[in-house]
Amino acid sequence: MSQETSTAGPSRTAFAGLDLGFDLGETAQAPAARPRIRKVGVVGAGTMGSGIAALAASAGLPVVLLDIPAEGGDRGAIPRGAVQKALKAKPAAFMDGERAALIRTGNTEDDLALLADCDLVIEAIIEQPGPKQALYERLEQVLKPTAIVSSNTSGIPMGVLTQGRSERFRKQFLGTHFFAPPRYMHLLEIIPTPETDPAVVESVRAFGESVLGKGIVICKDAPGFIANRLGVYGMNRTIARMEEYGLTIDEVDGLTGALLGRPKSATFRTGDLSGIDVLVHVTKGLAQATGESFPLPAWFEAMVASKQLGDKTQGGFYKKVGKDIQTWDFRAGQYVPQQRLETPELKAATRAPLAQRIAGLKTLPGKYGDFVRAVLLDTARYAAETSPSLAYDIPSVDRAMEWGYGHDAGPFRVMDMLGVDWVKAELEKRGDAVPALLQQAQGAFYRGDEVLGFDGRYQAVAPIAGNVRLSQVAAQPGRVLAQNEGARLLDLGDGVALLEFRGKSNALGSKVLDLLATSLERIERDGMAGLVIGNDDPKFFSAGADLAESTGAVIAGMWDVIEQAIHRFQQATQSIRYAPFPVVVAPAGMALGGGCEFALHADAVQAHAELYMGLVEAGVGLLPGGGGTKELLFRFTKDLEPYEEADPFEAVKRAFRIIATAQTSTSALEARRIGFLRAHDRVSMNRDRLIADAKRRVLDLAPDYVAPAPRTIRALGKEGMGNLSYALFSFHEAGQATPYDVQIGHEIAYVLCGGDGPPRTVTEQDILDLERESFLKLLGNEKTQERIAYTLKTGKPLRN
């Protein structure tokens, strides 16, 4: 049976205990002799290779990065230049630029021996079997006996790559297919062969999940694996349907992005990011390897011939000209002004929940509806037809497309949203054969906690290792301890509760503060171990205090009410700090303003590596009023206490710079360097494991826990104010601050210096009172109100 159609894969015996679609309800157990991965080698310093090296270094691992010798005297210039390029990349390839020092570079002719002590060597060179096979032959001569070798190929079968290699090499070889950019895309496809040692598979899986933070999908050794096989087919059919229905590139991207629960880059913007030449190469490779038809139009090939390759050549399907965007008109063979597809019907549909949005596409009128339905049916049929030869279960297929291509729902979940019976009927109406897997589905592929197996029987959905899904926790009897419109308190088990924000962008309004108070009382009353504050929102831990909630009170001039609300928020963050049990905050994604203030007051933070944390209030004309200004001042001042000669103004200056510039981290590592995280705060590389890690942290802290003692510091008063006032004057004179920016800066300085009087010893409450006073003063200013209104309307800051 041919490789591309075979449903055979590694046997149960060969991969006993691994999540390959067998024994889906069991947790994988690592073999006793599982190799440990402590040092990584990467061969190939292109975009993918350097990105993988940057990710491994960001995780704290020493890395060797090699590429072919450069011409001329500097033979190691290529990988060294790749590291420098990665340091400048947008979005950033490194989580902390200082981690680049962990990468040692060299060339493959002179420095191959640098790989001798690596535990894992990832090959990421040219996508051709010959050069890869030649490299493996050389690697086999220099690597230690326990070293694992993997290929980052995007589609070449592993069985082809290992031809001619020894039995030992083949046992320690597998595919590790990362997705671009490696830091940000969650998917890591692992492709073992029937000869790969199960301990090697488990070692790489554990390393990918825990150290690199990836979502792992085990794939069969078929061309294109899972995500690229389905993704390339989907793009191919989208292009064909575009031509059939007479649509433009702008129209297709308007229809195949957020409307379908896919990234805003949709089809063609994604193509520009990937590289049009890469798409052509991968498509042709898949056609050759599978024998399937993946035709590309002549104009597509012509773009490659004319070097219109996408972002890397500053022009592909889209091209930026000054501030304007132009779109390629493939019929006329020229660029034309971009015309985004925006209709009231599509806008309304995009705002609907995903399941409702997808179901609504069945009745979307006109050629847009015909096009979208044709694309959905094409991809549904292909996924149902090919998945048994690519994957070990249906959830692996859905996760591959969700984690690798950024889809909100994979193809089988989308079919469930459309209705399996509707999909069958529409395929029959078109004259298409209905795949066997689709015929076996009884109303849906997913039924509660079960999913249809490739054997036609429903079985338990394989859990994601270490993942705590809060929706599943809440569905269990007795696990919702309290809830209101803004938040929910859950019982995570083992005496640990979790407070979950649930409003828009997880904003912190009065309902959240109500439930926080209830939660703290409940945990103390019931003698529970402690509290986690977190959620599994993919974007927001919290966007901060709910500004919209206070807007009406400002307009009505209800300043007593507003002051009470600010005081209440301050007391809420203080209650987190002084609770008689450990409170661990688990932020991921955006943790801004009040969300950052909650984290600053926790006993410990268990942060996801992708953390965008900041006190951003200055951007809307305010200062942190929920204890954030106070907390940075006390934290940085206390940091200096062990050093007798330290200038206390350094602590004030540091806090001032962070608050006045609304500095925001681009990772948890940067948040630690800024000062939002402390040395004892921890980072989870894998978002799926964040809540479980935070729960474990509470249990670590709970035995013999004692709440922290109240603090005092020496405030600098008018001396510190003078220094900061001069700095603000300089910023204004240099054109770096508007007059109102200076006014905001003066209020921040006033709080950080404990007022403008003589130096004095202050308590936390003294600074909180000043913080509240200055917050109210700024909130009453017309310019701040203009900034708030503009931000609420546009989501962007206003400089006035």
Side-chain angles (χ1 to χ4, degrees):
M1 189 176 290
S2 66
Q3 212 166 15
E4 61 271 17
T5 58
S6 172
T7 58
S11 68
R12 279 179 187 259
T13 305
F15 288 106
L18 296 184
D19 177 10
L20 301 177
F22 311 126
D23 304 320
L24 293 177
E26 297 180 7
T27 302
Q29 299 297 318
R34 187 178 81 191
R36 296 293 300 274
I37 297 172
R38 296 185 175 91
K39 184 174 183 179
V40 175
V42 180
V43 183
T47 301
M48 286 304 297
S50 61
I52 294 167
L55 174 63
S58 294
L61 294 166
V63 179
V64 174
L65 178 63
L66 305 181
D67 207 305
I68 60 174
E71 296 181 359
D74 188 358
R75 291 165 64 83
I78 293 175
R80 192 165 57 253
V83 172
Q84 293 304 310
K85 185 177 180 181
L87 283 167
K88 300 173 184 176
K90 300 291 182 183
F94 287 93
M95 294 180 182
D96 183 347
E98 293 181 1
R99 294 288 173 98
L102 289 168
I103 300 178
R104 184 176 181 183
T105 61
N107 72 77
T108 52
E109 293 299 324
D110 305 322
D111 305 308
L112 204 65
L114 293 177
L115 300 171
D117 61 345
C118 289
D119 303 300
L120 170 65
V121 175
I122 302 170
E123 167 269 304
I125 67 171
I126 187 170
E127 192 71 348
Q128 296 175 12
K132 293 177 186 288
Q133 292 166 339
L135 173 64
Y136 301 156
E137 182 177 5
R138 297 182 61 211
L139 288 177
E140 196 165 4
Q141 307 306 313
V142 300
L143 297 183
K144 61 185 180 182
T146 57
I148 299 168
V149 178
S150 74
S151 176
N152 185 55
T153 176
S154 59
I156 302 173
M158 300 300 112
V160 172
L161 297 180
T162 56
Q163 290 174 5
R165 300 278 49 81
S166 68
E167 180 183 356
R168 188 184 76 183
F169 185 94
R170 296 196 304 272
K171 283 186 175 181
Q172 292 168 201
F173 181 87
L174 74 175
T176 51
H177 183 209
F178 292 81
F179 283 72
R183 171 181 165 183
Y184 299 96
M185 299 309 295
H186 191 49
L187 178 63
L188 173 58
E189 290 181 320
I190 293 180
I191 310 98
T193 75
E195 295 181 89
T196 308
D197 186 335
V200 167
V201 180
E202 185 57 32
S203 178
V204 175
R205 180 220 284 269
F207 173 73
E209 285 177 339
S210 300
V211 180
L212 300 184
K214 295 302 176 188
I216 304 298
V217 170
I218 306 290
C219 305
K220 293 181 178 178
D221 191 13
F225 317 128
I226 300 174
N228 274 357
R229 182 74 168 268
L230 299 184
V232 169
Y233 174 84
M235 183 167 192
N236 188 268
R237 293 306 301 156
T238 299
I239 294 168
R241 294 297 187 184
M242 174 180 71
E243 294 185 323
E244 177 184 348
Y245 288 99
L247 303 183
T248 66
I249 285 174
D250 283 329
E251 288 176 313
V252 168
D253 272 359
L255 294 167
T256 59
L259 182 67
L260 300 186
R262 298 178 183 178
K264 292 181 180 179
S265 55
T267 299
F268 292 101
R269 180 70 189 110
T270 298
D272 276 352
L273 292 168
S274 301
I276 299 172
D277 55 334
V278 173
L279 294 175
V280 170
H281 179 78
V282 171
T283 301
K284 289 183 175 180
L286 275 179
Q288 183 178 4
T290 63
E292 298 176 6
S293 176
F294 293 96
L296 289 171
W299 60 266
F300 216 93
E301 304 263 13
M303 292 183 75
V304 175
S306 62
K307 303 299 181 185
Q308 294 171 252
L309 306 181
D311 283 10
K312 58 187 172 184
T313 59
Q314 286 74 54
F317 300 119
Y318 296 98
K319 181 179 182 180
K320 191 169 186 179
V321 180
K323 294 184 178 180
D324 299 323
I325 303 295
Q326 296 185 344
T327 306
W328 184 247
D329 182 336
F330 61 90
R331 295 181 180 89
Q334 63 183 22
Y335 285 101
V336 296
Q338 183 182 35
Q339 294 184 330
R340 292 182 179 274
L341 178 61
E342 294 178 344
T343 69
E345 295 81 10
L346 291 177
K347 280 186 176 180
T350 302
R351 286 195 291 267
L354 181 63
Q356 180 182 332
R357 195 185 323 159
I358 295 297
L361 297 176
K362 294 186 289 187
T363 56
L364 185 68
K367 66 177 182 179
Y368 292 158
D370 293 339
F371 164 80
V372 167
R373 285 186 290 275
V375 168
L376 288 173
L377 289 169
D378 287 343
T379 54
R381 180 196 60 78
Y382 191 74
E385 189 176 85
T386 61
S387 289
S389 67
L390 307 177
Y392 291 95
D393 58 19
I394 281 174
S396 291
V397 178
D398 282 337
R399 290 167 186 168
M401 297 309 294
E402 291 160 9
W403 295 344
Y405 276 71
H407 293 188
D408 290 341
F412 291 96
R413 295 189 184 279
V414 168
M415 281 188 263
D416 279 356
M417 294 173 189
L418 289 168
V420 166
D421 292 337
W422 181 86
V423 174
K424 293 177 186 177
E426 290 298 309
L427 288 176
E428 289 172 347
K429 191 185 299 183
R430 312 195 314 184
D432 289 354
V434 177
L437 187 63
L438 191 53
Q439 291 175 344
Q440 293 168 345
Q442 300 171 23
F445 289 102
Y446 292 88
R447 299 192 313 197
D449 293 333
E450 292 187 328
V451 65
L452 180 66
F454 292 148
D455 59 0
R457 295 178 297 179
Y458 282 84
Q459 50 199 275
V461 175
I464 299 170
N467 181 231
V468 176
R469 292 187 61 185
L470 299 183
S471 60
Q472 291 181 347
V473 173
Q476 298 175 35
R479 300 293 285 274
V480 178
L481 303 179
Q483 63 181 326
N484 61 26
E485 295 90 336
R488 180 165 65 183
L489 182 67
L490 302 176
D491 181 358
L492 291 181
D494 300 314
V496 179
L498 177 136
L499 179 63
E500 175 191 17
F501 311 143
R502 306 190 69 207
K504 182 180 179 181
S505 302
N506 293 324
L508 305 175
S510 58
K511 295 297 183 182
V512 173
L513 301 187
D514 288 343
L515 203 63
L516 173 63
T518 298
S519 301
L520 298 176
E521 291 170 5
R522 175 75 178 263
I523 293 166
E524 184 175 11
R525 184 196 74 194
D526 294 352
M528 299 181 76
L531 175 68
V532 171
I533 300 178
N535 55 60
D536 47 18
D537 188 290
K539 296 180 180 178
F540 290 98
F541 168 70
S542 173
D546 189 349
L547 293 176
E549 195 174 80
S550 62
T551 300
V554 171
I555 293 172
M558 301 167 64
W559 296 106
D560 288 345
V561 172
I562 294 170
E563 181 173 13
Q564 290 171 10
I566 300 166
H567 183 265
R568 188 182 182 211
F569 200 105
Q570 291 178 335
Q571 295 308 113
T573 56
Q574 288 291 90
S575 71
I576 291 172
R577 176 171 175 78
Y578 292 109
F581 47 78
V583 178
V584 174
V585 172
M590 300 287 185
L592 305 175
C596 178
E597 288 174 314
F598 267 46
L600 289 174
H601 287 80
D603 292 292
V605 175
Q606 185 74 42
H608 181 228
E610 297 299 342
L611 179 65
Y612 306 92
M613 176 177 275
L615 295 170
V616 297
E617 287 84 352
V620 291
L622 296 168
L623 53 74
T629 308
K630 175 270 302 178
E631 191 59 29
L632 286 192
L633 173 63
F634 272 75
R635 178 177 294 188
F636 296 159
T637 301
K638 290 294 183 181
D639 286 346
L640 294 178
E641 282 187 351
Y643 309 99
E644 292 183 5
E645 303 302 320
D647 182 356
F649 180 67
E650 291 300 316
V652 174
K653 183 171 69 174
R654 183 182 178 190
F656 178 82
R657 182 176 63 250
I658 292 168
I659 295 170
T661 61
Q663 189 173 1
T664 303
S665 72
T666 58
S667 71
L669 297 182
E670 188 179 9
R672 177 175 282 139
R673 188 153 48 81
I674 292 170
F676 296 138
L677 301 186
R678 299 151 294 189
H680 72 267
D681 292 325
R682 297 177 182 173
V683 176
S684 297
M685 289 293 287
N686 196 323
R687 179 68 173 88
D688 294 332
R689 299 185 173 199
L690 181 63
I691 298 299
D693 290 344
K695 175 185 173 182
R696 201 156 35 243
R697 189 76 169 117
V698 168
L699 294 173
D700 287 345
L701 295 170
D704 305 317
Y705 176 80
V706 177
R711 300 166 293 177
T712 61
I713 60 170
R714 189 75 173 166
L716 300 183
K718 59 184 179 182
E719 180 181 333
M721 279 290 294
N723 291 338
L724 292 177
S725 295
Y726 178 76
L728 286 167
F729 171 78
S730 300
F731 288 144
H732 180 252
E733 289 299 299
Q736 297 173 338
T738 68
Y740 195 56
D741 290 333
V742 172
Q743 189 173 337
I744 297 166
H746 275 296
E747 293 302 325
I748 296 169
Y750 180 79
V751 178
L752 290 173
C753 294
D756 55 5
R760 62 183 177 123
T761 298
V762 294
T763 64
E764 292 179 60
Q765 190 59 51
D766 290 332
I767 301 300
L768 287 171
D769 291 343
L770 293 174
E771 192 181 86
R772 190 169 64 256
E773 174 190 330
S774 288
F775 187 96
L776 285 165
K777 185 176 179 180
L778 290 170
L779 187 59
N781 192 294
E782 275 186 15
K783 291 188 180 294
T784 286
Q785 294 170 23
E786 289 171 3
R787 289 190 178 195
I788 292 172
Y790 184 83
T791 299
L792 288 173
K793 182 178 180 180
T794 67
K796 299 176 181 179
L798 172 68
R799 295 291 299 279
N800 56 355

